[in-house]
Amino acid sequence: MKINVDTHKCSGHARCFDAAPDVFDLDDSGYALPVTQGFDELPGAVRAAVAACPERAITVE
Ligand code: SF4
């Protein structure tokens, strides 16, 4: 399982980081970077981050 952030959609709201700080980091401009990969199951915090992103920039493969 892999978490992706569409850099063209991400607008730097940081809601994903608020919801799942162990999974997302922010770059110097406040845009999201997924830092943890390879979950066997989707953690609840990641579901919350996906739902919280107003740009629908987060996808899970
Ligand atoms: S909540 Fe969405 S738009 Fe905001 S930083 Fe995270 S991925 Fe980007």
Side-chain angles (χ1 to χ4, degrees):
M1 190 172 296
K2 183 178 174 190
I3 299 167
N4 299 302
V5 174
D6 184 333
T7 56
H8 297 290
K9 291 182 179 178
C10 179
S11 298
H13 303 285
R15 293 183 187 180
C16 53
F17 180 76
D18 289 341
D22 293 337
V23 177
F24 295 91
D25 201 353
L26 302 177
D27 69 12
D28 291 342
S29 299
Y31 291 85
L33 304 167
V35 294
T36 305
Q37 311 274 346
F39 300 109
D40 291 332
E41 294 182 16
L42 190 60
V46 177
R47 290 182 199 276
V50 171
C53 178
E55 307 299 336
R56 300 291 180 255
I58 306 167
T59 56
V60 180
E61 295 177 28

